[in-house]
Every structure is written in structure tokens, then in C-alpha cells.
């Protein structure tokens, strides 16, 4: 995952931001308890949303503790729940295969950091894959499809985005309520599509320099990673379509205490991030300031 999903800070009361941060820290503690300290380094906002979407709509019990980013002052965190454990397991699987994909996409020297990360996470991945074999198989299958599209330099932006969207929608496979499962699959599908496309847009210039596969550039025939007014307008429309589909599915379910955070995200945060990426001014959050949620406008 990539760290693009976040709420709109200006629209969210401090109480709701504190709850979001507590979930973020709770998922970090869950990762550490299940997979060791190294697993904490895969944490990002996107994985936090996975835990929120898989939760039962309650925040659960809250604790407080120190960690490597706050060794002196205790920070509040939500105690692990079944949903957070599921999100942690799926996060490890996703992060591991993302690192493996980075190894395949880079030369030996430039791929060293991906090799090191994959090696560091390998034992955690094996445990997570044993716990969630269906999800692991779904991730492998969809990444193989993506790899085939990359090898063929397939110009279809939609085929590439669909592969990642299907991958992320499979994170809801273990939900038992059929209605809730269908709603979550729809949200996660369109969220996955949006993440894949926004990442492609964010990497336009970098991929133009390296020659890496970028279906967004191929779809619009972009030169040097630079948008034309027409291509930018058309791309913004397809991004907005995915957000509208997420919002439509979101309205079909009661997300309890997480409703304000999700509303802020689907009706504000994603649009802000999309505009920031297209304007070339998106910045991922700093791990030195890990509790802060940056506003991207």
C-alpha cells in the first residue's frame, strides 16, 4: 500500500482525529505483538483504513504505551481486536508482496532496499500467509496478472487498475454477513482502483525517467510525465468516479464511531489528495512526525 488514503483534517473534529490516531497506534501495537518490532515499519494510513473498514463499528478498549517514536511520553492506542488482527495479517502479506514486486522492478543495486525489506519481513509473511492462505493466494494471483500486463507494456489503464482493485477487494473475503461483505468488497475494489491510479499519476515523472511501466502515461500518451489539459481533466474524472462509487457503497452500511472519519475521507480527503498529486505537491507523512495527519491542499 502507499499512504495516499487520509481524512480531511479541516473537516474533522479533534476528537475524531484522536480516535483515528488511536487506531493507527493500535494497529502498530497489533503488528508488533503478532510479528515483532520490524513489522511496525510497514504501517501507513492505508492499512489503518483497512482496520477501520473491517471493524464492527466500535472503537473498543483503549490503552496507553510508549514506542520507538515516543519513548518517553505514553500515547493512547486501541487494544487489538479481531478486525485489527485481520488487518495486520493482510497488511503484512500486502507489504511483503509489494517489496517482492519492487525487487522485480529494479536492477540489483537499486533493488537492494527492497531485497532487504523483503528478507526482514519474510518470517512474518510466512506466518501471516499460513493464517490467511486465501488472501495470500488472491494477492499472488492478481500480482501475476499485473506482472503480465507490465511485461506486455499493456496500454490499458483500466485492466491494470482492475487487477489491483480485485486484489484489495479480496481483503473482505472473511466477512460472514453477505450484505456487509458485498458492501466492503465494493468499497475496497474502488479504493484499490483509486490507489493504483493515483500512484501511477504520482510516479509519472519518475517512470518517464526510468522507463518503468506506467499505464497512466501509456493511456494518455504522455511525454516526459507531463499532463496535457485534456488528459488531466479526463484522468481527474475517472478518479472522481471511483470515489463516488466508494461513497455510494459507504452510505449502505452503519460504520458506527468510524462514520465521521470515513465521511471526511470519502467526501473530502481523497479529493484533496488527488488534486495535490495532479498539482505535483503531494507529500507522504513523515515518520518523524508520525501522529500528524497532513492536510494536502
Amino acid at each position: 500500500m502507499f499512504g495516499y488514503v487520509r481524512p480531511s483534517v479541516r473537516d474533522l473534529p479533534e476528537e475524531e482525529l484522536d480516535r483515528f490516531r488511536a487506531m493507527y497506534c493500535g494497529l502498530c501495537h497489533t503488528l508488533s505483538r503478532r510479528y515483532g518490532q520490524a513489522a511496525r515499519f510497514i504501517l501507513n494510513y492505508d492499512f489503518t483504513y483497512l482496520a477501520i473498514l473491517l471493524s464492527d463499528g466500535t472503537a473498543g478498549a483503549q490503552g496507553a504505551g510508549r514506542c520507538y517514536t515516543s519513548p518517553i511520553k505514553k500515547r493512547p492506542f486501541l487494544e487489538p481486536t479481531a478486525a485489527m488482527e485481520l488487518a495486520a495479517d493482510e497488511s503484512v502479506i500486502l507489504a511483503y508482496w509489494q517489496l517482492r514486486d519492487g525487487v522485480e522492478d529494479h536492477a540489483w543495486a537499486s533493488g537492494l532496499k527492497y531485497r532487504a525489506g523483503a528478507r526482514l519481513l519474510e518470517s512474518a509473511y510466512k506466518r501471516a500467509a499460513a493464517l490467511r492462505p486465501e488472501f495470500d493466494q488472491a494477492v499472488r494471483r492478481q500480482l501475476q496478472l499485473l506482472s503480465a500486463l507490465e511485461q506486455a507494456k499493456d496500454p490499458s489503464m483500466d485492466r491494470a487498475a482492475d487487477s489491483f482493485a480485485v486484489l484489495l477487494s479480496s481483503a473482505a473475503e472473511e466477512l460472514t454477513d453477505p450484505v456487509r461483505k458485498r458492501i466492503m468488497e465494493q468499497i475496497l475494489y474502488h479504493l484499490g482502483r483509486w490507489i493504483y491510479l493515483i500512484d501511477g499519476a504520482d510516479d509519472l515523472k519518475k517512470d518517464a525517467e526510468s522507463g518503468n511501466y506506467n499505464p497512466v502515461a501509456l493511456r494518455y500518451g504522455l511525454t516526459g510525465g507531463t499532463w496535457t489539459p485534456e488528459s488531466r481533466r479526463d484522468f481527474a474524472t475517472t478518479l472522481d468516479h471511483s470515489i463516488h462509487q466508494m461513497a455510494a457503497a459507504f452510505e449502505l452500511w452503519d460504520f458506527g464511531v468510524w462514520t465521521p472519519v470515513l465521511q471526511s475521507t470519502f467526501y473530502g480527503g481523497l479529493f484533496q489528495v488527488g488534486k495535490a498529486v495532479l498539482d505535483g505537491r503531494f507529500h507522504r507523512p513523515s515518520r518523524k512526525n508520525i501522529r500528524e495527519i497532513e492536510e494536502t491542499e
Side-chain angles (χ1 to χ4, degrees), residues 154-295:
D154 192 307
S156 173
M157 182 179 75
D158 289 331
R159 273 195 291 269
D162 176 75
S163 297
F164 189 78
V166 171
L167 179 160
L168 194 57
S169 71
S170 64
E173 183 61 33
E174 293 191 26
L175 299 180
T176 55
D177 184 305
V179 175
R180 182 185 176 209
K181 180 179 178 182
R182 178 60 175 162
I183 291 170
M184 295 306 141
E185 285 174 340
Q186 284 295 298
I187 292 174
L188 289 169
Y189 176 90
H190 289 286
L191 184 60
R193 182 180 187 275
W194 182 88
I195 288 171
Y196 186 86
L197 293 178
I198 206 69
D199 183 60
D202 200 20
D203 286 345
L204 278 176
K205 290 191 179 298
K206 181 179 72 174
D207 289 342
E209 294 172 359
S210 66
N212 284 348
Y213 173 70
N214 190 312
V216 176
L218 292 175
R219 163 64 179 82
Y220 294 106
L222 303 182
T223 302
T226 302
W227 294 102
T228 65
E230 296 79 10
S231 63
R232 175 184 165 129
R233 188 163 50 248
D234 186 71
F235 183 74
T237 298
T238 196
L239 284 180
D240 290 353
H241 172 74
S242 282
I243 299 174
H244 295 154
Q245 293 299 310
M246 283 181 249
F250 161 73
E251 293 293 346
L252 298 175
W253 193 258
D254 181 4
F255 287 89
V257 299
W258 301 110
T259 298
V261 167
L262 294 172
Q263 282 179 332
S264 173
T265 303
F266 295 144
Y267 294 105
L270 298 185
F271 290 106
Q272 291 172 10
V273 169
K275 187 175 187 303
V277 168
L278 291 177
D279 289 345
R281 55 181 178 76
F282 175 77
H283 301 287
R284 290 180 175 85
S286 168
R287 295 199 67 85
K288 292 180 181 179
N289 205 16
I290 207 161
R291 291 186 75 242
E292 295 301 321
I293 299 173
E294 298 177 348
E295 187 168 13

